[in-house]
Amino acid sequence: MNYRQLKVGVLGGGQLGRMMYEAIIKWDLDIHFMDQSKDFPVGKICPNFQIGDFSNYDDVYNFGLDKDIITIEIEAVNIEALKQLEKLGKKVHPSPDALKIINDKGLQKMFYESNQIPTSNFQIFKNESEILHAIEEGELKFPFVQKSRTGGYDGKGVAVIKNQNDLSKLLPTASIVEDLVPIKKEIGIIVAQNEAGQIATFDPVEMVFEQEANLVDFLFAPAAISKEMAAEAELISKLLISKLAICGLLAVELFITEDDKILVNEIAPRTHNSGHHTIEACVTSQFEQHIRGIMNMPLGETTLLHPAVMVNLLGSANVSGSVNYDGMDTCLEKNNVHLHFYGKSETKPFRKMGHATIIDDSLDRAKEKAKFVKENLKVTI
Ligand code: ADP
């Protein structure tokens, strides 16, 4: 197969696209990106960058017309245009049908239910007053978690309602309401599939969240869970990608409950923050694996070569403006600290500006270094 004859189009030009481009430059593929500004992370480094809005029908359709394969680095794309492109014989990965399910938390939950995928109990509500009514009628009990069906990300669109006083936090949108899960650990698994049906998982990672911004603070690889638990999570992830018939990556976020049950929280059909460590710590990175999956190449070996910790470099609270990074020198003095800056011109509170991956033979030492990086590398103006 001459992969270089295939023209690939990627919708979105943020950091995930930028790292995808960095990963596959070595293969000299014919890859093109579309997003709204050349000043975005991909536009700054990739010559094949077209200006357009990935949520707009015409922009997506026209971008896809001369491509053989179309993929995404963000889910909020125009699905109708992708459907049309698929009808024209283009390969669209992930498929518009899978995207439609994943982009709606209500459909996602129904999909889990009808495929016997373990997830927390849920109910679907049209609006806030339906929820209030269900509470009055005794059909819905505290505590619960409300999630907007569409448009939520990084914890925006999630409300934890523990009692009557929290009702002011209810979101006014169509939503799902699910049990508040007693979470012991949050883990993530990235799984890939190609058109030939080959499936490969990366080892589970453990995610620790920043409370205020609800963004991943530290990610530990491997996750400190039993072999049996890891095998079960892998099995669930494989089942998900095969049932959804997704080519490329599927990132699966799971909860391990206090009583050691595994529940799927949510999924994303693309490269993911929980797989950034794979760039330095695994044989194949998640970004290369996604390209392998969508182009029907043989999937890469996923072995974790070293324990790793990933830390997101976020914009400081209350700071906005033209970005600077302080402390790069002290961090680079340490061995095996890998810094990535995404090329965003402006920092904003808690904006993802970059990340660092620290690898070490000992996960504990990597954790110490990661703490040092978090304390010493500051996103400033
Ligand atoms: P988003 O799509 O915005 O990332 P998530 O569904 O991942 O939203 O929720 C964000 C975070 O909220 C999760 O990582 C978890 O810490 C917490 N959370 C979500 N759902 C539940 C739940 N049912 N029970 C307890 N905590 C939850």
Side-chain angles (χ1 to χ4, degrees):
M1 180 71 209
N2 188 350
Y3 299 109
R4 293 179 62 248
Q5 275 176 353
L6 296 171
K7 203 166 181 174
V8 179
V10 185
L11 297 172
Q15 65 263 23
L16 297 174
R18 181 173 166 119
M19 288 184 272
M20 195 187 296
Y21 184 61
E22 284 171 352
I24 52 90
I25 270 182
K26 62 190 176 193
W27 287 339
D28 195 28
L29 298 175
D30 192 12
I31 189 161
H32 301 249
F33 290 81
M34 186 183 84
D35 208 333
Q36 291 194 44
S37 164
K38 279 208 164 185
D39 198 36
F40 288 177
V42 174
K44 284 188 170 162
I45 63 167
C46 176
N48 300 333
F49 185 87
Q50 192 176 313
I51 302 214
D53 175 356
F54 51 68
S55 68
N56 176 282
Y57 181 95
D58 290 335
D59 285 1
V60 171
Y61 183 76
N62 291 329
F63 175 69
L65 274 181
D66 67 343
K67 308 293 183 300
D68 301 296
I69 303 171
I70 298 127
T71 192
I72 59 165
E73 62 104 55
I74 184 164
E75 294 100 306
V77 293
N78 191 292
I79 295 179
E80 289 310 312
L82 290 177
K83 273 192 186 156
Q84 275 311 113
L85 290 165
E86 204 173 44
K87 280 193 189 141
L88 295 178
K90 313 284 177 192
K91 305 256 184 216
V92 180
H93 297 312
S95 71
D97 289 342
L99 260 178
K100 207 168 165 210
I101 295 173
I102 293 171
N103 283 359
D104 177 338
K105 286 190 173 174
L107 296 180
Q108 233 189 82
K109 282 291 215 183
M110 288 191 257
F111 173 82
Y112 300 146
E113 196 172 49
S114 53
N115 287 284
Q116 287 88 46
I117 304 281
T119 191
S120 57
N121 294 324
F122 70 99
Q123 296 178 57
I124 291 181
F125 291 97
K126 287 204 184 77
N127 51 41
E128 199 179 344
S129 56
E130 267 196 13
I131 296 180
L132 293 171
H133 184 70
I135 295 171
E136 271 167 33
E137 295 295 310
E139 291 158 7
L140 178 61
K141 301 231 165 10
F142 299 117
F144 60 82
V145 179
Q146 184 206 15
K147 296 182 181 181
S148 176
R149 284 185 70 160
T150 56
Y153 66 98
D154 288 347
K156 295 175 185 72
V158 174
V160 177
I161 311 292
K162 292 195 170 144
N163 50 43
Q164 202 80 24
N165 296 334
D166 285 339
L167 287 177
S168 58
K169 291 197 263 175
L170 275 182
L171 309 163
T173 52
S175 59
I176 58 162
V177 160
E178 55 182 34
D179 292 350
L180 181 71
V181 175
I183 301 173
K184 184 150 86 182
K185 274 183 199 293
E186 297 198 36
I187 63 167
I189 291 205
I190 290 178
V191 56
Q193 179 167 226
N194 62 16
E195 231 173 276
Q198 190 190 359
I199 295 183
T201 51
F202 287 90
D203 287 343
V205 299
E206 199 172 322
M207 295 175 285
V208 179
F209 286 82
E210 211 272 348
Q211 287 304 320
E212 194 179 345
N214 216 340
L215 289 164
V216 171
D217 213 6
F218 290 107
L219 177 145
F220 305 137
I225 57 174
S226 68
K227 273 204 175 107
E228 294 74 27
M229 194 81 86
E232 193 184 332
E234 277 174 25
L235 205 69
I236 293 171
S237 307
K238 286 179 176 170
L239 193 66
L240 277 168
I241 200 165
S242 90
K243 292 262 181 200
L244 285 162
I246 283 175
C247 290
L249 292 197
L250 182 71
V252 183
E253 292 183 39
L254 308 110
F255 297 142
I256 297 183
T257 65
E258 290 293 352
D259 55 352
D260 285 335
K261 288 204 181 68
I262 296 186
L263 301 174
V264 172
N265 175 31
E266 61 168 355
I267 52 179
R270 52 164 172 80
T271 57
H272 196 261
N273 198 188
S274 61
H276 289 355
H277 67 291
T278 59
I279 298 174
E280 288 90 8
C282 293
V283 179
T284 308
S285 80
Q286 63 160 343
F287 300 99
E288 179 179 319
Q289 191 79 316
H290 182 70
I291 292 292
R292 285 177 181 243
I294 64 160
M295 297 190 78
N296 201 20
M297 294 174 176
L299 295 181
E301 166 70 50
T302 55
T303 306
L304 182 73
L305 297 168
H306 319 268
V309 177
M310 192 280 305
V311 52
N312 278 325
L313 303 173
L314 305 178
S316 309
N318 309 317
V319 178
S320 297
S322 192
V323 69
N324 255 311
Y325 301 99
D326 282 351
M328 198 169 160
D329 44 1
T330 43
C331 291
L332 292 181
E333 269 170 17
K334 302 214 175 267
N335 256 347
N336 268 324
V337 171
H338 302 275
L339 299 178
H340 295 253
F341 301 124
Y342 300 150
K344 297 179 184 177
S345 312
E346 299 277 312
T347 178
K348 293 178 198 153
F350 302 114
R351 189 174 192 199
K352 285 179 183 155
M353 300 302 290
H355 75 266
T357 296
I358 296 93
I359 58 179
D360 201 295
D361 294 336
S362 134
L363 184 60
D364 284 336
R365 268 202 307 271
K367 284 182 185 175
E368 272 168 39
K369 275 190 208 167
K371 232 178 114 197
F372 179 90
V373 171
K374 195 171 159 56
E375 281 162 10
N376 287 275
L377 204 133
K378 291 289 169 212
V379 179
T380 58
I381 49 173

